């Protein structure tokens, strides 16, 4: 292991070069204009893995292709790990808030040493390359890997994974493994690694409220014509009560309340809600007022407005009653909630509140339920030992408020459990301008992945 | 008069050419990128009036310049008319809904004969040229005008007239007159002219709700971080009750309710609310449910959301909690309401409802109170006789829901009353895609203006 870790340390500059090449590809999966870039990122991954000694290929879907690569140099008796990551990234706008081009990665000095700044620096290209560089070190030192390894990279994670089920179903026979390792989560803090044991799911929906058949002059029609922006705000604005509780009927059905023991364990993590919120200019936990902050974040569902638009948005005023207005929503879901039923309930909530002449048009996006890892999973102890060896501290067993739809899909379609161990930090600005990955996290993440591969072989 | 009318009839093709030249200038006053175009439209007006025999010049302001032109060929004893119009236009977006380039005017066949299609076709370039062509005919036939005439063209009417008070104050001595004639209103219908006796005022304000200091990942922060889009919809959505009544405290203070007699007169106009709304795909008058539709339109104030935006607006989903969200509002006001007090009351309404951590930033736009014309104004009878002569029907004495801030400014700064007689139609799509002016309205409007000028001389 020391030889492998030394190989990782000395290869760091060339590891970064490879990461930067990957980051320069603007593989924004949500925007059709970037479809060719997504394919380019998939091909870059395939070619890099081929060059490392994998049997690698694209797997086509209705959307962006997946990448599948296998290296069975460990022999037929070794445990089989399925590694999952994604090569696509979030849109980079608002561009004017970036200090450098989001697709021209920079190494910038920060309070914890150098950091990598780019869209996808950590989510998820940085985490994927961190794992691939650990694999590269194993192969360089030993000529073989300690486990059978299948790597699956998805290209639509940031757009709700619309083709993931198709991909997993098509490739079911090629994705047999003992468990899945996902690197798309955060450490507890800069010193402490974390294993994520629960994830919130996600259900996305857009609602467009239609009013008049064309934009109207608000003087000639104002006072008699329905204003769809007002109708939209009137309905959506009723979605939460003054205690932060979501008012959509049936929204909380099926949820098991967090146990006293679980709540106490999380309270013991020393999470500082004031500091967490203070970092982003806030002070008051805005969720359900009868829940502690970590429960609000990890174990309770949300209804979020991710975007809203309608009418005139330019300089000055345009006295118009617009023909329509649109809200873009996502719900974060916890185990027990059915995403389809949640979207059904939301549509009913809107339709029952429509004023005369208003018509609602719904567009559903990806939907994935929440997930909880079994505490006795066999690979969990091995992972804890490996992380302790690298960081000198026990990994925190945490929940995550964010969704990784693939985790549920692995369970449903492949019958596999998933271990979530990643090396991002909460202040990495993922999905925001100036996304970064601490160089130290990238480096220690690579070393930890190398140890995890060996630990899984012994498990 | 017959000679003058004949001159107008035979000059129609060249009148249209001049109008089209004017329409080709994209003088959008609200958008800084079009500042040079606004100046070009002002210069075009000045040069055209100079060529017609006016002493014409630009009058500079902090914003777009005004145009002032005078022709006193009628001699010192003749009545003095101050004509007002505006050379600026509304933004043309959404561009994709136009059937032709908004700044490449077209003559298109319609159900009432040919129509002029362009941004500004009727509001207000078409109405301005209609008046100028009547003046041109008087000068061509008689070599002089029947009244002393000052023409004032403004360049910021569609942006709330921020420099109008400055312009009128600077030019007070040059704008002395007996009354003001404004051509920026509509006929009652295609057969019936109208004189507008009341106007709603306008007060504009944008409110931006700030939440977190940067855009946040809705998985990592959702459930604990304030969402400013939700906060905005929650507050704005409370602004009207289920009976269409605006809930801002003090909003209706100072308004005199419409008299039974006035309501009966308007009911007698045969306004068909069903058809009026049906033309734009609506069926139910959406204002105060205890008021008849014409009162909702002409004599009751409104609170309209002209635009809203925040967060992600692109394809697919972006799971973000944005740093801020913005609503753009205008209030239509009636006589008795104080625009500044209305905006003060709105700000209080928002501030009192802000959740913890939210901050509201307000940007006020133009503000003008409502207006009512004195029924015994001396020039009113003359105008009624001239319109009857041209159209063979009495002019309807109506109200208008739309604002012309200059009317109140003429009263306040110059001490002048205003006669509003224009030749647009309700279906002209002003402020909307495919704005048009019926060629017949343009032509009869020009003839009517020629008659009005002579009638004012005899009044």
């Amino acid at each position: 292991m020391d030889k492998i870790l030394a190989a990782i340390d000395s290869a760091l500059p060339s590891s970064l070069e490879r990461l930067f090449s990957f980051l320069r590809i603007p593989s924004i999966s949500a925007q059709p204009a970037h479809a060719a870039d997504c394919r380019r990122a998939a091909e870059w991954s395939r070619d890099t893995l081929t060059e490392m000694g994998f049997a690698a290929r694209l797997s086509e879907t209705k959307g962006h292709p997946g990448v599948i690569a296998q290296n069975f140099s460990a022999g037929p008796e070794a445990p089989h790990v399925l590694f999952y990551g994604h090569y696509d990234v979030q849109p980079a706008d608002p561009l004017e808030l970036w200090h450098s081009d989001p697709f021209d990665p920079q190494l910038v000095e920060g309070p914890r040493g150098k950091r990598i700044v780019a869209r996808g620096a950590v989510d998820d290209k940085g985490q994927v390359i961190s794992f691939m560089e650990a694999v590269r070190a194993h192969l360089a030192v030993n000529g073989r890997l300690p486990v059978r390894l299948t790597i699956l990279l998805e290209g639509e994670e940031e757009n709700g994974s619309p083709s993931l089920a198709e991909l997993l179903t098509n490739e079911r026979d090629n994705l047999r493994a003992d468990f899945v390792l996902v690197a798309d989560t955060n450490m507890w803090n800069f010193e402490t690694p974390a294993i994520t044991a629960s994830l919130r799911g996600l259900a996305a929906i857009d609602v467009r409220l239609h009013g008049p058949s064309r934009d109207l002059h608000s003087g000639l029609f104002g006072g008699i014509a329905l204003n769809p922006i007002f109708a939209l705000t009137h309905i959506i604005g009723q979605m939460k009560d003054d205690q932060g509780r979501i008012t959509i009927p049936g929204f909380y059905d099926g949820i098991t309340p967090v146990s006293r023991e679980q709540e106490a364990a999380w309270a013991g993590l020393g999470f500082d809600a004031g500091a967490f919120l203070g970092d982003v200019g806030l002070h008051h936990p805005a969720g359900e007022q009868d829940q502690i902050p970590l429960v609000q974040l990890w174990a309770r569902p949300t209804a979020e407005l991710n975007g809203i638009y309608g009418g005139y948005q330019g300089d000055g005023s345009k006295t118009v009653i617009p023909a329509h207005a649109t809200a873009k929503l996502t719900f974060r879901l916890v185990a027990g909630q059915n995403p389809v039923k949640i979207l059904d309930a939301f549509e009913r909530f809107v339709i029952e509140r429509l004023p005369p002449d208003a018509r609602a048009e719904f567009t559903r996006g990806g939907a994935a339920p929440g997930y909880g890892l079994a505490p006795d999973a066999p690979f969990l102890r091995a992972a804890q030992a490996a992380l302790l060896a690298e960081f000198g501290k026990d990994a925190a067993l945490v929940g995550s408020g964010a969704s990784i739809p693939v985790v549920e899909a692995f369970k449903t379609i492949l019958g596999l459990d998933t271990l979530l161990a990643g090396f991002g930090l909460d202040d990495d600005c993922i999905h925001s301008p100036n996304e970064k990955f601490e160089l130290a996290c990238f480096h220690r993440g690579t070393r930890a992945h190398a140890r995890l591969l060996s630990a899984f072989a012994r498990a």
Side-chain angles (χ1 to χ4, degrees), chain A:
Chain A
M1 181 51 58
D2 287 346
K3 278 189 195 163
I4 292 168
L5 296 176
I8 287 170
D9 295 348
S10 63
L12 185 58
S14 50
S15 299
L16 273 180
E17 269 175 41
R18 286 183 283 267
L19 172 57
F20 279 26
S21 298
F22 200 21
L23 290 172
R24 286 191 192 102
I25 307 171
S27 46
I28 302 168
S29 53
Q31 298 178 341
H34 286 282
D37 294 317
C38 290
R39 181 164 295 271
R40 202 146 57 87
E43 290 168 349
W44 186 95
S45 309
R46 177 198 62 194
D47 296 346
T48 302
L49 287 159
T50 302
E51 169 259 318
M52 286 168 64
F54 279 71
R57 60 184 169 81
L58 303 192
S59 178
E60 297 297 336
T61 70
K62 283 189 307 292
H64 306 307
V67 179
I68 293 177
Q70 293 183 312
N71 183 311
F72 293 166
S73 56
E77 302 304 314
H80 191 164
V81 177
L82 173 57
F83 174 86
Y84 165 88
H86 60 90
Y87 66 75
D88 64 318
V89 298
Q90 282 274 316
D93 61 291
L95 290 173
E96 66 274 16
L97 296 186
W98 284 79
H99 302 137
S100 55
D101 182 336
F103 297 107
D104 179 15
Q106 304 289 326
L107 210 53
V108 173
E109 202 61 45
R112 303 188 194 102
K114 290 201 192 317
R115 47 175 57 177
I116 303 150
V117 177
R119 169 57 82 233
V122 61
D123 180 18
D124 187 33
K125 287 174 175 171
Q127 301 242 31
V128 167
I129 297 295
S130 174
F131 177 77
M132 280 166 57
E133 293 299 310
V135 170
R136 188 185 291 275
H138 270 281
L139 290 168
V141 171
N142 296 328
R144 56 184 287 280
L145 294 179
V147 294
R148 284 182 292 161
L149 179 61
T150 299
I151 292 177
L152 168 65
L153 302 181
E154 189 200 348
E156 303 185 325
E157 199 273 343
E158 300 294 8
N159 195 26
S161 297
S163 313
L164 182 66
E166 177 194 358
L167 179 63
L168 296 187
T169 305
N170 288 348
E171 301 282 2
R172 192 184 328 222
D173 291 342
N174 304 312
L175 297 174
R176 292 179 199 283
D178 294 311
F179 68 95
V180 187
L181 172 65
V182 170
D184 198 15
T185 52
N186 287 350
M187 299 174 59
W188 176 244
N189 57 37
F190 187 59
E191 289 80 28
T192 318
I195 293 170
T196 303
S198 71
L199 286 172
R200 288 195 290 196
L202 182 75
I205 191 165
D206 292 358
V207 53
R208 173 165 291 186
L209 241 67
H210 295 271
S213 55
R214 60 174 175 83
D215 288 1
L216 304 178
H217 185 293
S218 75
L220 298 185
F221 287 89
I224 180 167
L226 173 76
N227 183 323
I229 303 179
F230 176 76
L232 181 66
T233 62
H234 187 66
I235 295 171
I236 297 289
Q238 298 171 34
M239 208 169 48
K240 287 184 203 173
D241 68 18
D242 290 341
Q243 294 303 304
R245 201 171 160 86
I246 291 150
T247 57
I248 298 169
F251 187 76
Y252 294 101
D253 287 359
I255 300 175
T256 307
V258 171
S259 67
R260 291 267 175 202
E261 295 70 26
Q262 180 68 81
E263 190 173 316
W266 283 344
L269 280 174
F271 175 70
D272 182 344
F276 181 79
L277 288 171
D279 280 349
V280 296
L282 300 173
H283 305 283
H284 303 272
E288 295 164 275
Q289 296 303 300
D290 57 350
Q291 305 284 352
I292 67 168
L294 273 190
V295 172
Q296 288 183 14
L297 277 174
W298 290 347
R300 298 295 291 177
T302 69
E304 292 292 357
L305 285 153
N306 304 123
I308 194 165
Y309 60 97
Y312 185 62
Q313 305 189 10
D315 294 316
S317 60
K318 181 171 187 228
T319 48
V320 70
I321 297 174
H324 52 74
T326 305
K328 299 176 76 73
L329 292 97
T330 48
F331 299 94
R332 297 282 169 182
L333 306 179
V334 300
Q337 287 181 296
N338 177 321
V340 173
K341 285 190 179 168
I342 293 296
L343 296 184
D344 289 345
F346 171 72
E347 291 195 5
R348 269 197 308 277
F349 180 85
V350 172
I351 288 167
E352 286 171 359
R353 285 162 180 77
L354 285 176
D357 283 338
R359 179 172 63 83
E361 175 190 357
F362 299 97
T363 307
R364 293 188 180 201
Y371 175 78
L373 178 67
D376 57 351
F379 44 83
L380 185 55
R381 297 260 169 201
Q384 288 175 299
L387 293 174
L388 176 61
E390 176 59 31
F391 290 91
K393 292 188 74 167
D394 278 321
L397 277 176
V398 303
S400 167
S403 314
I404 306 185
V406 74
V407 173
E408 178 63 23
F410 284 135
K411 190 74 180 177
T412 310
I413 301 175
L414 303 181
L416 297 181
D417 281 321
T418 298
L419 178 73
L420 297 142
F423 303 96
L425 294 177
D426 286 341
D427 67 0
D428 281 347
C429 298
I430 68 171
H431 297 206
S432 296
N434 305 307
E435 176 179 351
K436 59 89 178 166
F437 196 7
E438 300 290 346
L439 181 59
C441 290
F442 174 73
H443 184 203
R444 290 192 293 185
T446 306
R447 292 169 53 99
H449 276 306
R451 293 184 193 268
L452 283 165
L453 288 169
S454 295
F456 294 145
R458 292 188 299 269

